[in-house]
Amino acid sequence: MTRTTPEPHTTTATTRRQALDTPGRRFRRALRGRSALVVGGAAAVALVGGVATVGTQPAIGEAIGIPSASASSVPALHGASLDRAQAAATIATARTVLADANDKTDTTALERRVDALSDYRQLSGAAITSRIASTVDATAEVAEASASQDKADADAAAKAAADAKAAAAAKAAAAAKAAAAAEAAAAAERQAAANTVAGAKATASSMASSRYGWGSGEFQCLDNLWTKESGWNYQAVNPNGGATGIPQALPGSKMATVAADWRTNATTQVTWGLQYISAAYGTPCAAWAHSQANDFY
């Protein structure tokens, strides 16, 4: 069977009185003191003027042979009738605890106590009193054990949920890290390809056409110019003066106006070189003509 018992509110005992005032101890005192018996949450037997009366609990009245009555016509109980009423109330309470007990709680002892007390009509008063006491103790133990198990189950479920959430977060973080690493590797591969002579020429041809409207003729002039200047090598450095990169910028730091990676990125160098040719000569062919005439541009 599967049941859910609300987790009891617990506090840390700060005094001996609080430590002794647990639900189980209060439960034992209530039944042993014969001041009140509870069945299913309703009063069953209560002391009135030194004798007991049966409340409006049909099960208790029937158990001791007294019809159910309204609160204003409750008969007084004493002697054997009182003993039997308390036995019936104890059994009913124990059965409620058994029905609500956590499935992992051992209820064997309490079930035996209930079976033993169920013969109360054939028992002496002393025997009933003894069996009530042992049943009350077993009932309190089961109630406390069940509450503890409910809390342990709830704690375990909460831990499992937290662990699952942490595992999911770790998995997501690992996936994100792997994706970032893959993207970085792909970017590095693309950059390596763009830094080759063929890659730099492809970049320059595309930019010349899309950004400046220069056709194949202009690109041929550009190819001639930068082949002469650097051989399209992004790492080229002229030992006479320090002109740097594919366009042979002097100084090379001028290319930082495009991007900080001008030393290692052919695309940055090509971008700056095309801007320079457009601003200084208008077209690559004009720059190539100047280079042929003056050996520089």
Side-chain angles (χ1 to χ4, degrees), residues 63-64 80 83-92 95 110-132 134-135:
I64 60 176
D83 289 339
R84 291 172 182 174
Q86 288 188 310
T90 301
I91 290 170
R95 286 175 176 165
L110 178 55
E111 290 168 3
R112 287 201 299 265
R113 295 289 185 272
V114 170
D115 287 343
L117 184 58
S118 295
D119 293 334
Y120 63 84
R121 290 184 180 83
Q122 285 76 44
L123 299 175
S124 66
I128 290 175
T129 298
S130 175
R131 294 190 185 186
I132 285 176
S134 62
T135 303

Side-chain angles (χ1 to χ4, degrees), residues 15-284:
T15 66
R16 176 174 174 78
R17 179 182 296 276
Q18 290 175 327
L20 294 175
D21 193 29
T22 64
R25 292 177 182 275
R26 290 198 298 271
F27 179 69
R28 290 185 178 91
R29 289 199 298 270
L31 292 183
R32 283 176 173 170
R34 298 193 177 195
S35 60
L37 295 177
V38 178
V39 182
V45 178
L47 286 177
V48 178
V51 296
T53 59
V54 180
T56 55
Q57 274 289 344
I60 303 304
E62 293 171 5
I64 60 176
I66 300 174
S68 300
S70 65
S72 61
S73 60
V74 174
L77 296 179
H78 53 80
S81 296
L82 176 58
D83 289 339
R84 291 172 182 174
Q86 288 188 310
T90 301
I91 290 170
T93 300
R95 286 175 176 165
T96 297
V97 171
L98 285 170
D100 291 339
N102 186 290
D103 290 343
K104 298 175 185 177
T105 302
D106 184 2
T107 60
T108 306
L110 178 55
E111 290 168 3
R112 287 201 299 265
R113 295 289 185 272
V114 170
D115 287 343
L117 184 58
S118 295
D119 293 334
Y120 63 84
R121 290 184 180 83
Q122 285 76 44
L123 299 175
S124 66
I128 290 175
T129 298
S130 175
R131 294 190 185 186
I132 285 176
S134 62
T135 303
V136 167
D137 287 342
T139 300
E141 289 170 3
V142 168
E144 290 176 354
S146 179
S148 295
Q149 187 60 58
D150 284 343
K151 185 178 186 306
D153 290 347
D155 290 345
K159 184 178 184 304
D163 290 346
K165 183 177 180 180
K171 184 177 180 180
K177 183 177 180 180
E183 175 56 30
E189 186 175 347
R190 290 192 298 270
Q191 186 59 62
N195 281 352
T196 64
V197 171
K201 286 185 178 184
T203 300
S205 176
S206 176
M207 285 187 181
S209 174
S210 63
R211 298 187 182 184
Y212 300 96
W214 297 332
S216 59
E218 291 294 337
F219 178 74
Q220 184 59 60
C221 290
L222 179 68
D223 188 12
N224 294 337
L225 177 64
W226 283 354
T227 296
K228 175 188 174 184
E229 292 291 331
S230 64
W232 292 85
N233 179 4
Y234 77 99
Q235 295 177 314
V237 176
N238 190 319
N240 299 318
T244 302
I246 294 171
Q248 288 291 282
L250 184 64
S253 58
K254 288 181 177 180
M255 294 184 286
T257 57
V258 173
D261 62 353
W262 59 270
R263 291 183 180 87
T264 59
N265 192 332
T267 300
T268 298
Q269 296 180 4
V270 166
T271 302
W272 181 87
L274 294 179
Q275 290 177 353
Y276 170 72
I277 289 172
S278 177
Y281 299 99
T283 66

